[in-house]
Amino acid sequence: MSSLRRFLTRLLNSATRRAQDERLREEIEGHIALQTEENLRAGLSPVEARRQAMLKFGGVEGVKQDYRAERGLPLIEDLFQDLPYALRMLRKSPGFTAVAVLTLALGVGANTAIFSFIDAVLLRSIPVKDPQQLFVFNWSVRANPKLQGHSDYGDCADQTDIGGCSFSIPFYKTVRAQAGAFSGMAAFAGPFGVDLSGNGAASIVRGLYVSGDFFPTLCVGTFIGRPLTPSDDSPSAPPAIVLNYDYWVRAFGAAPSVVGRTVRLDSTTVTIVGVADPHFTNLTPGKPLDFFMPFSVADSVRGKWYRSKDRVADATYWWVVILGRLKPGLSISQAQAEATTIFRNEMLYGAAPLSKPEDAPAITLRPARSGLNGETSQIAPGLYVTMVIVAFILLIACANVAGLTLARSASRQKEMAVRLALGAGRARIVRQLLTESILLACAGGALGVLVAIWGVDAIATLLSNGSGQPFPFAVAPDWRVLLFTLAITFLTGILFGLAPSLRGSRVDLTPSLKESASLLPGAAAHCGRRFRLGDALVVAQVALSMVVLVGAGLLVRTLRNLHSINPGFDAQNILLFGIVPHLAGYTDQQTQQLYANLQQRFAALPGVISVSYSEEALLSGGWSAGDVHVDSSPPKQNANTGELPVGLDFFATMHIPILAGRSFTSADFAIAAATNAAEKARDAAAAKTNPGSPSTPASASLTALDEAYYHSAPVPLIINESFARKYLANKNPIGLHMGDVERDEVRSPGPGYTIVGVVGDTKYAQLRRKTAPIIFLPLVSNSAHFELRIAANPTALVKNVREIVSQADNNLPLTDIRTQTEQIDQILFHERLMSRLSSFFAALALVLACIGLYGLLSYEVGRRTRELSIRVALGAHRRDLSRLVIGQGILLALIGAAIGIAAAVGVTRFMSAMLYDVRANDPLTTVAVAALLILVAFAACYIPARRAMKVDPMVALRYE
Amino acid sequence: MKQKADVLQGTLALMVLKTLDVLGPQHGYGIARRIEQISRDVLAVNQGTLYPVLLKLEQEGAIASEWGASQNNRRARFYRLTREGRKQLQVETQDWEQTAAIIGRFFEVKAEDLS
């Protein structure tokens, strides 16, 4: 307790210094006066009396210093003394200060910028109340349940076993009614693109389906108006939507009058009842949306849906994500067990049993933050790699500034010597030098924040330009980022300041105080080459930049490899755009006619070589897949394949070679259209008789439709080479019949497909994935992406294309206009970004290392001027001198490169997932990068070497 | 082994407390003279080292100080023992006596006693 009291008293004393000094002075004066009086009484002369009194008292200054040390807080008082001194010293050498601050600003700024991204993408919590109480439902079963459909919109993490996070709406209603462990449950799906008209030109906007209790469960409020409530989510309620805040500002000009306005979604009129809270963008990170709509409109507002399924009442269609808010006090395992029981019941004994008991259907609950990861799993690896790279840059910057500080401290030897001689403790001097370093670091950090702000802006712009939409995460500085910046600034200061401070305070007093400035300590002490701190710093810089260079080299090679992949078709000079006719109310037949009409009109444009269309553009990331059963193969042995509906002349337009059989003809399209019509008629009737389970026929008319459908002609089909190789080896594929497994087993048997041709392999959705089996069908319904092969610049014809489409129908929205090469660039976006970023940082690292090497060699030449001039006087050639300097530089570079290669081998292992067709320890890249480094080192040595050559012995010997 | 300076600091504080206990309120010069008289070689020179010790004791709360008039009406700072200081003195006196007794026993031990 007494020590605490002492501390507090000391704290107070710091404020009352002058008064205390006065008091001590008086006391000492009084003491000496009393002793003097006594001495006088003892008989000494006045002068002698005073002198004896002062001798007896002891050293007054020493007493005063001890008193002061006892009284105040010496550490803080020293700090207040050191800071102005440090400022003065830094102002004295502006060149050093400027370079150091700039270098540090780059290092700190880069780190802060990347950390801001990591914070926004990975660390920030969901913008709802108590997000740690929210859990996502995940299902897992041993065998695939027989579902009508399972849709995943990229909300959940990839599963390894059979599982997912999509459920059916009936199940959601069941579990909401029965589960007692949750105080609230919500479901959502999407976002989907829907056609919005009634607010200016028609456009495609992204809407999220939500359940009625979505807003109450998440405790998300509205900025104006009201949120969606459970009463909005019933079939009889008038359709209502809530806008996203950013969309409201963008599209409606933040007008408060929007509440109560009606707009049309697809062909349904809906009322806008509110605008969501500005902080709430979406639950799933990285998926931007424009508005929220209740599930009750899912039938009429279909978005790009192409099958006439009843998604709301069908228990075998799984497409919504379920969230639950755990009641406080309950454990996850309790809730999980309850949910699993309900799930099991539904799957085994429900209205439509989908699993057997041995399949062990179960539910796992994942925390919402980690369970809904959306886009982050794509971005995260790149972010981590970039974080490591900028951390290395910071280390290089620190080593650089440490070298500069070391060189500067060498010129301050005399100052240090004088201070030590006057009695300063070594710790005191080290503290003062560290204060200078931390001051530099703070200046660098402050400037670094500016660099970071600019950097974040630049990278976000890069990202949105590349992916075609605004960066979906809000990157803004928050307390975590600022804390991070402060921490690394401080650490940086200590890191680059400590070693030079310790070195700088260790000074041989006598040699330093002598006049000869060139006799710096250490030079005469050792004649051989000893590895000194300065050399170690340069080696460290070279090694670190070597690692960064190798990483960048690997990423650049990955991009080049990806670019050089042959996609299986000719991607040059193709214009792409999408049309969604059924959003404007087209039937299948009308759609067919529209496409044929448009195809003709486009083909008539000057410069157009050929026109076609397909459900998805190749290499656009979207894809469908299915199972087919080849007739001749054993039962239950299905072929899993990609599916792509295409239009007439598709293969000719895309320059995909036909290897066997023929391409599609108009007759094929007629057959396909007829079969499709029969299928749709049958499904519509089944949905009417038995909603919720269209696979159970119940009436005679339905049976008739079934028959009609079953007996319609098989749809003509074209397979690709991989399919033939994988599933039809040793057979002539032309003329073979296949059945659609999902159609036949889950719904009602259909006529299947007949193979009429085989085409060459192409990539489908992704460049990186191996070429897979694909079947091509005639496109007879649904939306399409048009491909126009154009003789010259594709973008020149965009205006004409728009004109033709609006002439055909003014209500048809045109989407995603781009060229095929732009499309490929888009899907290679992450690789391009990583390649560009890493190259930029690698160049930066190389420049920093180069500057470090140059600085060290210049300093060495300056330091050894006397020695070099003596050599010249003794007969050395100038060239020998430059060889000396260059030799030293190259030696350091080689050692650094060797260490760097070893480090790179260990580090690049972690990024092998991002690479394509190049190993993490690829020797070619390593050697090329090492050669580049040595070359740059040569360049750095050049000027110091020339300076060494120009040494004039007479001048050096004369100057003492 | 502790340095001589530390021993001096610690015992000096004790001497100050005892002096104030016996003599009552004193100024710095008076305390120094008294200690010099009793301990003979300590504080014969370097009497100035007393003042940091007085400050430390005052900050700990063992003594209190105020301005007063010494003989010849000279202004001087007088120190007196506080209640806490009295307690501290008691405690330290006990500690010292204990330590002295133990060490004393050690010095009296002869080889035969330890068989």
Side-chain angles (χ1 to χ4, degrees):
Chain A
M1 259 308 107
S2 63
S3 46
L4 178 66
R5 189 184 170 148
R6 256 177 78 195
F7 175 75
L8 288 171
T9 326
R10 279 179 161 192
L11 202 61
L12 279 164
N13 285 342
S14 305
T16 58
R17 259 189 9 230
R18 200 162 297 165
Q20 304 250 344
D21 282 340
E22 259 314 296
R23 172 184 139 176
L24 179 66
R25 213 185 47 77
E26 256 197 83
E27 273 195 78
I28 294 180
E29 225 1 83
H31 184 119
I32 293 180
L34 283 169
Q35 181 73 55
T36 309
E37 275 175 24
E38 187 163 326
N39 288 349
L40 278 174
R41 274 201 296 267
L44 294 162
S45 70
V47 173
E48 193 57 27
R50 176 133 182 115
R51 182 167 158 267
Q52 286 296 332
M54 297 211 54
L55 278 175
K56 192 158 182 189
F57 188 81
V60 172
E61 285 305 319
V63 168
K64 279 194 184 160
Q65 191 159 327
D66 285 338
Y67 192 83
R68 254 180 253 134
E70 194 67 46
R71 175 193 64 193
L73 288 163
L75 269 163
I76 300 202
E77 288 178 3
D78 287 346
L79 189 68
F80 282 127
Q81 208 181 13
D82 286 339
L83 273 174
Y85 184 68
L87 267 170
R88 254 181 294 143
M89 292 308 292
L90 288 177
R91 227 175 328 150
K92 266 204 195 156
S93 30
F96 162 80
T97 311
V99 172
V101 168
L102 219 64
T103 314
L104 289 171
L106 276 172
V108 170
N111 273 278
T112 306
I114 301 298
F115 185 77
S116 305
F117 276 97
I118 291 189
D119 180 56
V121 173
L122 297 171
L123 295 178
R124 213 171 271 186
S125 55
I126 315 178
V128 298
K129 186 161 104 83
D130 290 333
Q132 66 279 7
Q133 291 292 100
L134 286 174
F135 292 90
V136 180
F137 279 56
N138 285 76
W139 60 267
S140 63
V141 195
R142 282 209 203 112
N144 252 317
K146 291 201 197 350
L147 300 174
Q148 290 265 18
H150 181 269
S151 301
D152 186 332
Y153 302 105
D155 291 295
C156 309
D158 291 316
Q159 304 268 348
T160 43
D161 305 324
I162 300 174
C165 61
S166 302
F167 294 88
S168 66
I169 294 193
F171 176 71
Y172 161 67
K173 292 195 178 135
T174 310
V175 82
R176 185 182 56 179
Q178 294 180 9
F182 299 97
S183 60
M185 296 188 68
F188 68 91
F192 295 91
V194 292
D195 186 33
L196 184 138
S197 46
N199 183 38
S203 56
I204 307 270
V205 291
R206 305 176 63 76
L208 187 77
Y209 288 111
V210 298
S211 60
D213 38 15
F214 182 81
F215 284 91
T217 305
L218 296 180
C219 296
V220 172
T222 48
F223 190 66
I224 55 174
R226 66 166 180 86
L228 292 176
T229 58
S231 57
D232 290 311
D233 194 12
S234 69
S236 53
I241 65 172
V242 170
L243 298 181
N244 178 28
Y245 183 82
D246 286 330
Y247 175 65
W248 172 56
V249 171
R250 243 191 359 245
F252 291 86
S257 57
V258 79
V259 178
R261 262 184 73 168
T262 56
V263 290
R264 290 173 67 80
L265 294 179
D266 289 356
S267 334
T268 314
T269 311
V270 298
T271 318
I272 303 174
V273 297
V275 174
D277 192 85
H279 297 297
F280 183 70
T281 45
N282 193 358
L283 274 183
T284 311
K287 292 172 70 176
L289 57 85
D290 299 318
F291 67 94
F292 303 88
M293 48 186 169
F295 279 119
S296 54
V297 304
D299 277 332
S300 43
V301 179
R302 292 171 165 281
K304 289 171 73 167
W305 215 247
Y306 53 92
R307 296 211 196 144
S308 56
K309 288 202 188 67
D310 181 6
R311 303 181 283 177
V312 180
D314 188 349
T316 57
Y317 204 88
W318 293 10
W319 62 299
V320 302
V321 178
I322 303 183
L323 283 171
R325 186 181 277 283
L326 196 63
K327 274 199 189 131
L330 290 180
S331 73
I332 305 178
S333 37
Q334 273 178 296
Q336 211 166 270
E338 188 183 37
T340 301
T341 316
I342 301 175
F343 185 57
R344 246 182 89 91
N345 276 338
E346 282 302 303
M347 292 291 278
L348 302 180
Y349 314 118
L354 296 164
S355 274
K356 301 189 263 305
E358 59 264 22
D359 292 332
I363 297 258
T364 350
L365 293 175
R366 290 228 185 99
R369 188 56 177 100
S370 48
L372 294 173
N373 65 353
E375 294 292 303
T376 58
S377 52
Q378 266 205 322
I379 306 183
L383 267 180
Y384 288 138
V385 168
T386 317
M387 189 81 220
V388 170
I389 292 182
V390 293
F392 275 30
I393 300 271
L394 185 63
L395 286 175
I396 297 178
C398 283
N400 219 321
V401 180
L404 285 173
T405 314
L406 199 63
R408 184 157 164 267
S409 73
S411 59
R412 290 170 71 179
Q413 295 286 342
K414 210 173 264 188
E415 173 200 336
M416 297 298 139
V418 168
R419 295 175 73 181
L420 281 171
L422 283 176
R426 188 150 168 248
R428 182 78 180 81
I429 295 190
V430 169
R431 242 188 296 146
Q432 192 259 316
L433 290 174
L434 265 182
T435 310
E436 270 185 47
S437 303
I438 294 186
L439 197 62
L440 261 181
C442 287
L447 194 59
V449 169
L450 291 175
V451 170
I453 293 179
W454 171 83
V456 164
D457 231 6
I459 297 183
T461 319
L462 248 182
L463 285 170
S464 34
N465 283 346
S467 63
Q469 38 181 312
F471 189 58
F473 298 93
V475 186
D478 67 345
W479 64 268
R480 255 186 304 256
V481 173
L482 286 170
L483 199 64
F484 173 82
T485 312
L486 269 158
I488 62 170
T489 307
F490 201 68
L491 281 172
T492 305
I494 296 189
L495 193 66
F496 79 77
L498 196 61
S501 303
L502 288 172
R503 174 60 68 84
S505 58
R506 197 193 319 149
V507 169
D508 278 339
L509 290 183
T510 320
S512 311
L513 288 172
K514 288 202 200 145
E515 275 309 307
S516 56
S518 60
L519 258 185
L520 293 167
H526 54 270
C527 15
R529 275 191 48 79
R530 207 184 67 191
F531 209 65
R532 282 156 294 174
L533 184 59
D535 298 338
L537 286 171
V538 168
V539 166
Q541 288 181 55
V542 171
L544 286 168
S545 43
M546 184 75 189
V547 177
V548 175
L549 280 167
V550 169
L554 289 173
L555 288 170
V556 167
R557 276 196 71 180
T558 297
L559 184 64
R560 287 192 51 196
N561 288 347
L562 283 172
H563 264 309
S564 62
I565 294 180
N566 179 15
F569 61 92
D570 183 2
Q572 297 299 318
N573 290 337
I574 296 187
L575 182 66
L576 299 171
F577 55 90
I579 291 187
V580 193
H582 77 96
L583 288 188
Y586 279 57
T587 65
D588 283 351
Q589 223 184 358
Q590 291 170 323
T591 308
Q592 274 289 85
Q593 286 171 345
L594 173 71
Y595 290 159
N597 182 17
L598 286 176
Q599 202 174 6
Q600 266 186 341
R601 315 264 313 269
F602 289 141
L605 281 174
V608 172
I609 303 178
S610 57
V611 181
S612 185
Y613 51 93
S614 55
E615 187 178 88
E616 295 284 351
L618 288 177
L619 292 177
S620 62
W623 67 307
S624 5
D627 287 317
V628 292
H629 182 256
V630 182
D631 279 358
S632 51
S633 55
K636 290 299 172 186
Q637 196 178 55
N638 300 328
N640 184 271
T641 166
E643 296 176 354
L644 184 61
V646 299
L648 264 179
D649 296 336
F650 178 73
F651 305 104
T653 306
M654 304 304 287
H655 289 185
I656 302 174
I658 302 185
L659 301 176
R662 59 174 179 77
S663 177
F664 289 129
T665 61
S666 341
D668 294 327
F669 278 82
I671 296 175
T675 309
N676 179 51
E679 176 185 353
K680 290 240 168 105
R682 186 257 160 216
D683 279 345
K688 271 203 284 261
T689 37
N690 203 347
S693 185
S695 58
T696 328
S699 67
S701 60
L702 188 55
T703 322
L705 285 170
D706 277 343
E707 287 288 306
Y709 175 50
Y710 185 62
H711 287 297
S712 44
V715 176
L717 173 70
I718 295 182
I719 61 175
N720 72 349
E721 218 183 339
S722 292
F723 189 98
R725 228 177 316 133
K726 189 165 178 193
Y727 299 121
L728 301 174
N730 308 327
K731 286 193 255 232
N732 178 17
I734 311 296
L736 283 183
H737 179 264
M738 301 195 298
D740 184 325
V741 167
E742 189 217 70
R743 185 77 234 177
D744 295 341
E745 288 184 16
V746 180
R747 290 181 278 165
S748 72
Y753 311 104
T754 314
I755 303 178
V756 300
V758 183
V759 293
D761 279 339
T762 59
K763 299 281 182 183
Y764 186 175
Q766 295 285 350
L767 266 181
R768 275 188 187 242
R769 285 206 205 126
K770 258 182 3 142
T771 324
I774 307 177
I775 56 177
F776 298 92
L777 313 158
L779 178 65
V780 291
S781 64
N782 198 22
S783 56
H785 287 256
F786 271 79
E787 292 102 2
L788 271 64
R789 180 168 290 284
I790 300 179
N793 179 17
T795 40
L797 290 178
V798 171
K799 219 168 60 93
N800 306 54
V801 163
R802 276 196 202 272
E803 263 177 34
I804 295 183
V805 171
S806 63
Q807 273 172 17
D809 185 342
N810 212 8
N811 283 332
L812 276 178
L814 221 61
T815 64
D816 298 330
I817 304 179
R818 66 235 182 259
T819 66
Q820 181 76 59
T821 38
E822 280 168 12
Q823 174 68 63
I824 296 184
D825 277 344
Q826 252 185 40
I827 63 165
L828 286 183
F829 169 64
H830 281 120
E831 284 83 0
R832 274 171 49 229
L833 182 69
M834 287 308 300
S835 170
R836 226 186 279 182
L837 270 181
S838 60
S839 306
F840 170 72
F841 286 124
L844 189 63
L846 197 58
V847 164
L848 282 176
C850 182
I851 292 180
L853 186 60
Y854 165 80
L856 177 77
L857 289 176
S858 299
Y859 165 65
E860 284 283 308
V861 168
R863 191 178 66 79
R864 294 164 74 181
T865 305
R866 212 154 161 264
E867 172 201 338
L868 292 173
S869 50
I870 292 180
R871 284 176 189 255
V872 170
L874 287 178
H877 287 300
R878 304 265 171 189
R879 218 161 338 131
D880 294 333
L881 294 181
S882 72
R883 213 178 295 156
L884 201 72
V885 173
I886 295 185
Q888 185 182 359
I890 296 297
L891 178 66
L892 290 177
L894 281 173
I895 298 177
I899 299 180
I901 291 179
V905 166
V907 165
T908 52
R909 193 169 4 126
F910 295 106
M911 54 184 267
S912 43
M914 297 177 56
L915 303 176
Y916 182 83
D917 208 24
V918 54
R919 273 179 315 157
N921 51 354
D922 181 48
L924 180 61
T925 315
T926 314
V927 165
V929 161
L932 176 66
L933 197 80
I934 303 293
L935 216 68
V936 169
F938 251 120
C941 300
Y942 178 67
I943 296 184
R946 287 205 61 177
R947 219 184 284 165
M949 278 169 53
K950 293 219 192 94
V951 155
D952 183 358
M954 293 313 292
V955 172
L957 286 172
R958 240 182 266 138
Y959 177 66
E960 271 291 308
Chain B
M1 282 276 131
K2 277 211 264 180
Q3 296 286 18
K4 191 154 181 247
D6 300 329
V7 174
L8 194 61
Q9 268 256 328
T11 55
L12 201 52
L14 189 55
M15 286 187 235
V16 166
L17 290 176
K18 188 65 183 172
T19 307
L20 287 177
D21 183 40
V22 168
L23 289 184
Q26 274 291 315
H27 51 59
Y29 178 69
I31 300 174
R33 288 293 289 163
R34 175 76 178 169
I35 293 178
E36 183 190 356
Q37 279 168 2
I38 298 183
S39 68
R40 254 162 295 215
D41 64 338
V42 177
L43 273 201
V45 289
N46 281 338
Q47 287 186 338
T49 56
L50 187 64
Y51 286 93
V53 173
L54 284 172
L55 180 67
K56 177 162 166 282
L57 284 172
E58 189 175 349
Q59 287 182 336
E60 278 175 2
I63 61 180
S65 69
E66 58 194 5
W67 288 108
S70 69
Q71 54 254 67
N72 326 329
N73 271 326
R74 196 178 280 277
R75 201 164 102 106
R77 191 106 185 150
F78 279 80
Y79 297 90
R80 60 174 174 81
L81 205 59
T82 62
R83 204 171 17 159
E84 269 180 56
R86 218 173 285 279
K87 262 191 277 179
Q88 191 173 333
L89 182 59
Q90 269 180 357
V91 169
E92 297 230 5
T93 311
Q94 273 180 350
D95 285 342
W96 265 103
E97 286 172 352
Q98 256 188 348
T99 313
I102 296 175
I103 298 290
R105 277 204 292 277
F106 259 94
F107 285 152
E108 288 170 18
V109 154
K110 296 196 199 38
E112 307 85 78
D113 297 335
L114 286 174
S115 52

